[in-house]
Amino acid sequence: MEKLLRYQVEQELILERIKIQISQNLSLAEIIQSAINHSRSFLELDRLLIYQLDMSWELHKVNPRLAPMQDTVTYESKKSDLLDSTLYYQGDTCWRKSHGDRNKYHQGHSLVINNVDAVSHLNPCLQQLMDRFQVKAKVVMPMNIRGKLWGLFIAHHCRPRKWHHEDLKFLRQVTEHLAIAIFNHQSYQQLHHQKQLLEKQVQIQAQQLKDALIAAEAASKSKHDFLGSMSHELRTPLTCVIGLSSTLLQWSSTKERMPLSPEKQQEYLHLIQQSGRHLLGLINNILEFSDVESGKHLLNIQRLSLAEVARHSLQLLHESAAQNEISLNAEIRIEPEQDLFYADEVRLKEILFHILSNGIKFTPKQGSVVLRVWREKHQVVFQIEDTGIGIAASEIPLLFEKFKQIEDFRQRVHGGAGLGLALTKKLVELHGGSIEVESELGQGSIFTVYLPEATPLRNSLLKSDTASSYRLRVQTIVLITKDDASATYLCQLLNTIKYQVVWLIDSTTAINQIELLQPKMVIIDQDFPTRDVKNIINALAGIPLDDEIKVALLCDRFDAQEWQQFGDLGVDDYLLKSMNPSPMIDKINRLIASKDTQRNQN
């Protein structure tokens, strides 16, 4: 009785020690190693170990020689150093193939062997393994964590041994306590991982908020500069218009008391006209830039004469240059047979007008502005050089920003809304070209525009010759919708990822434009009648196209029956108006990418 009581007291002390260690949040390795050391010593075992299943990468980092995700002995306690160690043992193919044994352990069954030599049904390779480690008696207890077999708690004895009920009960209790410790460890690791993910998300959101704040501050400054610039630009001509018109009105009512010669009247009227034209130019620039930026501009590609375009551009600014005593000349280095070019004549003249007028504005009297034109391989080059005040290297990147003036609006000498060069860059890129600037303070500036060579479309449906230069360097998407809100949203969204969006309102005239533009994709609003969608898809199959065009339907909602109907018509996919930007961009990119992949395979 005394021996039994002492046995029970020692058992309780070992189990209580494990509980205390768990409550103190000691490391899992420390809890397990302490438990198997005390348990082995208490039961007078030769070896007590833990065989962990599907070992994780963490243990592989501890011992790189171990293969990851294998069954491995991860903990061991030995009675004597003379015994062979099983620590980090791997490669038990017998165990890996014994699915029946694994299932039994998963169900909670244990294995008890008093004498290995007396067991006839033991697996031959397991028998060989036990012989290798001098095992004669063995107990295996399963360690199930969260409904999964995590590992095995194994006791070895090098002599035959009669396992008593109290020994087995104690081993089972130690196994259960260690299972609780492992469960707590896994829960902590999972919580720690979630905490790290949450901290990372918080950092990302904090960075996004910081970026949004910076963007908001930049937008606020841009708004302040724009309002300051516009108030300065509008106030001067409006003051002139109001003041001079008031003078003329007062003179007309009091002719006798306020003499005003016909020459003065003519001068006042001329100044009023100039101020009105200046205001109209500012407003037109703002509206035009807004249209170009939102993707509503469509180029009217036609055949033109490069020499004629250059001469006409100079003619428009001849009077302005003469008033400022500036020499305005052209150097056209093009052979007669190379004079014809395909582009939007109006927009090309607008590009040259903005750069030339900018050169005249910032060139002092007795200076010069030169327009050069030549061909270079498969492109035409327009170069405007002036002897003006020049631009500092740090300010060149600001030239093409909208509403951005190099001069502060409070100290400005030269007028303007800060849209001319920004609009010029947009129009150049709309043609598929590029623009470069070379300048130095006090030494003048050189603006160089490169426009790509183009070939006219086959079977042109326009009265004038057309060209495909519009689509040389941009991926075009045609959007057919009457919904202003959806169109504005899509145009702005797709422009940010370098797509050129052409917005059409009339579905009946869309086919002509599609053949001209040769877009990558056509997006049709579901608000159009089904017959219009069908007519567009049928027409696409009948017109000469360089490549297959993907068709997507823009809709508020969709059900299986409707999709079946439009899918039968030939619609490739659909875009929901309520879709977030990222999924919508991913879907559009995927559709266009699949088209390019299919073309490459063909």
Side-chain angles (χ1 to χ4, degrees), residues 62-185:
V62 174
N63 191 340
R65 294 177 299 174
L66 302 176
M69 301 308 292
Q70 293 290 328
D71 303 338
T72 308
V73 176
T74 53
Y75 297 94
E76 179 189 54
S77 177
K78 296 188 300 176
K79 180 179 181 180
S80 170
D81 292 336
L82 299 176
L83 292 173
D84 291 340
S85 175
T86 61
L87 190 62
Y88 299 140
Y89 171 78
Q90 284 186 314
D92 190 352
T93 55
C94 297
W95 161 255
R96 300 291 298 178
K97 295 178 181 179
S98 302
H99 297 295
D101 293 341
R102 181 183 286 258
N103 291 334
K104 289 179 181 178
Y105 288 132
H106 186 268
Q107 293 170 6
H109 297 289
S110 303
L111 174 66
V112 179
I113 299 177
N114 295 323
N115 188 349
V116 172
D117 297 332
V119 179
S120 59
H121 60 276
L122 195 64
N123 188 299
C125 59
L126 288 178
Q127 176 72 55
Q128 184 180 2
L129 184 65
M130 295 177 71
D131 291 341
R132 171 183 170 183
F133 291 110
Q134 304 172 349
V135 178
K136 293 298 183 181
K138 179 178 182 179
V139 173
V140 180
M141 296 285 180
M143 304 180 74
N144 289 304
I145 315 291
R146 295 178 177 175
K148 179 181 178 182
L149 184 60
W150 181 88
L152 302 174
F153 193 47
I154 304 175
H156 285 171
H157 210 69
C158 296
R159 297 184 305 280
R161 173 171 176 165
K162 174 67 176 177
W163 299 100
H164 298 289
H165 173 72
E166 292 79 6
D167 298 338
L168 300 178
K169 180 181 178 182
F170 172 69
L171 287 173
R172 187 172 292 107
Q173 288 176 322
V174 174
T175 303
E176 291 172 354
H177 282 66
L178 291 180
I180 293 173
I182 295 168
F183 175 80
N184 289 347
H185 175 74

Side-chain angles (χ1 to χ4, degrees), residues 209-229:
L209 288 174
K210 183 178 178 181
D211 294 342
L213 180 60
I214 294 173
E217 290 175 349
S220 177
K221 184 178 184 304
S222 177
K223 176 184 175 183
H224 174 72
D225 292 345
F226 169 65
L227 292 177
S229 174

Side-chain angles (χ1 to χ4, degrees), residues 30-45:
E30 187 175 351
I31 294 173
I32 293 178
Q33 193 62 54
S34 174
I36 63 175
N37 285 340
H38 287 91
S39 300
R40 184 204 56 75
S41 176
F42 171 67
L43 294 177
E44 298 181 351
L45 300 172

Side-chain angles (χ1 to χ4, degrees), residues 2 19 91 154 179 208 295 302 322 347 375 402 442-443 454 472 487 491 512 536:
E2 182 181 354
K19 291 179 183 179
I154 304 175
Q208 290 174 344
Q302 58 184 1
R347 302 305 173 199
R375 281 186 178 268
K402 57 185 178 181
Q443 301 298 319
L472 280 180
C491 287
N512 294 358
I536 291 174

Side-chain angles (χ1 to χ4, degrees), residues 528-596:
F528 286 107
T530 305
R531 64 176 180 274
D532 288 359
V533 179
K534 182 178 180 181
N535 291 339
I536 291 174
I537 294 175
N538 290 339
L540 288 176
I543 61 177
L545 298 171
D546 292 346
D547 200 1
E548 177 192 359
I549 297 176
K550 291 292 183 179
V551 179
L553 201 69
L554 183 65
C555 49
D556 294 306
R557 56 181 180 78
F558 227 62
D559 57 41
Q561 185 176 359
E562 287 178 319
W563 172 240
Q564 181 66 38
Q565 178 185 2
F566 285 106
D568 293 341
L569 291 178
V571 176
D572 296 294
D573 212 328
Y574 64 89
L575 303 171
L576 293 176
K577 294 180 181 179
S578 60
M579 191 178 291
N580 291 329
S582 295
M584 182 173 288
I585 290 173
D586 290 343
K587 180 172 280 194
I588 291 172
N589 285 337
R590 189 164 57 250
L591 280 171
I592 292 178
S594 67
K595 176 177 76 66
D596 293 338

Side-chain angles (χ1 to χ4, degrees), residues 238-285:
L238 282 175
T239 301
C240 179
V241 169
I242 294 171
L244 294 178
S245 60
S246 297
T247 301
L248 290 173
L249 283 172
Q250 187 176 3
W251 169 80
S252 64
S253 61
T254 59
K255 291 183 179 180
E256 296 179 357
R257 288 177 295 169
M258 184 180 175
L260 196 63
S261 65
E263 292 78 12
K264 270 297 181 191
Q265 297 175 39
Q266 191 73 17
E267 181 184 350
Y268 287 177
L269 290 172
H270 181 68
L271 289 173
I272 290 173
Q273 185 186 51
Q274 279 187 326
S275 298
R277 286 178 176 173
H278 179 68
L279 288 171
L280 181 61
L282 288 175
I283 294 170
N284 285 339
N285 277 347

Side-chain angles (χ1 to χ4, degrees), residues 353-372:
F353 177 85
H354 284 305
I355 302 177
L356 287 168
S357 61
N358 196 69
I360 293 171
K361 181 168 65 173
F362 290 99
T363 298
K365 290 184 178 182
Q366 308 304 320
S368 65
V369 176
V370 180
L371 168 62
R372 302 186 183 94

